Amino acid sequence: MPRHHVAIFIALLAAGIVAPFMLYPVFVMKVMCFALFACAFNLLLGYTGLLSFGHAAYFGFASYICAYSAKSWGLTPELAILLGTAAATVLGLVIGALSIRRQGIYFAMVTLAFAQMVFFFCLQAPFTGGEDGIQAVPRGHLFGLISLRSDFTLYWVVLAITLGGLLAIYRIIHSPFGQVLKAIRENEPRAVSLGYRVNRYKLATFVLSAALAGLAGSTKAIVFQLASLTDVHWSMSGEVVLMTLIGGLGTVFGPILGATVIITMQNYLATFGAWVTIIQGIIFVVCVMLFREGVIGVISKWIKKPL
């Protein structure tokens, strides 16, 4: 790992340690969950070149499974999160196996269609609570020992999950497997000519991305003690695309910044109501015009080092 990457990870850890003493812990936990979600999406789009318009399906479905298992089956939070992540992984495997048969805009539309099917399933299924969602999800005791009722205690668990997820994504990107993904993104026919089974790599990335998105969604369900249709709605897929593009597509740390910007805006501009969406749109247009590669992408160009 390059020194400047080590320094950034240390800075993120330091910021994570200091944050709950300076900011509302639940707000910071929300930022971390969406940062992990955006990084998972970036693994698929930024490093493999596959644009999915349905990533909310894995985020939201995992949230429902985690919430239901914790509330109805009484599972401990770590088991509920793992079960939600596993559900998202299986869903990603099924949808990915069918979606990767198409390319470009057709791939994007197929993923959106599947995501809408998941949305209507979550709306109609008896265990999801319909429009009310699953509320009052118990946080329980971690490993049956540590109570997570306190936001401050739960914060450290979410921080560990987020940093663990980010390090896993970093390892994937900088492995031989990750180099093949970049080759597929840059020139798929060339990768095929070199003997790589491109569809297998695409499917593996799709499943990994879905699993990490599910991990983020499951964690969010425990944090907010709620799983709702908002998490699985198509607009959530649009938000994660926005986060990735603002931060920097194909950068390691860009989606983290993008998620922080979007969630901060939603939180502190909530008094503007529906105007928040318009403000987001204006900021997105400005970023596209001034930062073609995203904020972190432009900074990376300036310092001539990958970020």
Side-chain angles (χ1 to χ4, degrees):
M1 185 183 294
R3 288 183 179 179
H4 64 286
H5 284 182
V6 174
I8 292 173
F9 272 114
I10 292 174
L12 288 174
L13 177 60
I17 293 173
V18 172
F21 299 99
M22 303 180 66
L23 299 169
Y24 184 42
V26 174
F27 164 70
V28 185
M29 286 190 282
K30 183 178 181 180
V31 170
M32 290 192 290
C33 290
F34 277 95
L36 180 57
F37 184 26
C39 287
F41 176 77
N42 185 50
L43 178 64
L44 186 65
L45 176 59
Y47 289 95
T48 317
L50 298 176
L51 174 58
S52 169
F53 280 148
H55 242 53
Y58 320 111
F59 182 81
F61 189 68
S63 176
Y64 272 108
I65 297 299
C66 175
Y68 182 79
S69 61
K71 184 175 182 179
S72 299
W73 296 344
L75 294 186
T76 54
E78 73 279 0
L79 291 179
I81 290 173
L82 286 174
L83 187 60
T85 304
T89 304
V90 173
L91 185 64
L93 179 62
V94 173
I95 295 178
L98 298 171
S99 300
I100 61 170
R101 301 181 184 185
R102 295 291 179 264
Q103 295 181 342
I105 190 64
Y106 302 105
F107 172 85
M109 290 298 101
V110 168
T111 57
L112 177 60
F114 277 120
Q116 287 301 98
M117 291 171 61
V118 174
F119 172 81
F120 284 110
F121 172 80
C122 292
L123 177 63
Q124 300 295 333
F127 75 91
T128 61
E131 294 183 355
D132 296 327
I134 302 176
Q135 303 178 24
V137 178
R139 290 179 174 176
H141 291 70
L142 187 67
F143 304 117
L145 300 172
I146 305 171
S147 175
L148 299 182
R149 290 182 181 179
S150 167
D151 292 338
F152 192 77
T153 305
L154 179 61
Y155 177 87
W156 304 111
V157 177
V158 176
L159 178 62
I161 291 173
T162 304
L163 287 177
L166 294 178
L167 288 171
I169 292 171
Y170 186 92
R171 183 69 188 93
I172 292 169
I173 292 168
H174 293 89
S175 67
F177 175 81
Q179 299 306 311
V180 176
L181 298 184
K182 295 172 188 175
I184 295 171
R185 177 193 66 191
E186 297 299 328
N187 194 331
E188 185 175 331
R190 174 74 172 174
V192 172
S193 70
L194 291 173
Y196 292 109
R197 297 184 177 182
V198 170
N199 280 350
R200 288 192 178 184
Y201 280 91
K202 286 183 177 180
L203 180 58
T205 312
F206 198 101
V207 173
L208 285 169
S209 181
L212 289 163
L215 177 61
S218 299
T219 305
K220 180 178 176 290
I222 295 295
V223 171
F224 286 93
Q225 301 179 271
L226 170 71
S228 67
L229 290 173
T230 304
D231 297 332
V232 78
H233 194 258
W234 65 266
S235 60
M236 184 66 73
S237 298
E239 278 191 19
V240 75
V241 173
L242 187 63
M243 292 172 186
T244 305
L245 293 179
I246 287 178
L249 187 64
T251 63
V252 177
F253 305 102
I256 301 173
L257 176 64
T260 303
V261 170
I262 296 299
I263 299 303
T264 301
M265 286 173 50
Q266 291 177 349
N267 187 71
Y268 289 100
L269 300 180
T271 53
F272 289 94
W275 284 94
V276 174
T277 306
I278 297 175
I279 296 171
Q280 284 181 356
I282 294 172
I283 290 177
F284 177 65
V285 171
V286 171
C287 286
V288 169
M289 297 298 292
L290 299 180
F291 307 100
R292 294 295 179 89
E293 297 87 9
V295 177
I296 297 297
V298 170
I299 295 174
S300 178
K301 264 192 168 183
W302 285 348
I303 66 175
K304 297 181 180 179
K305 290 182 179 180
L307 294 173

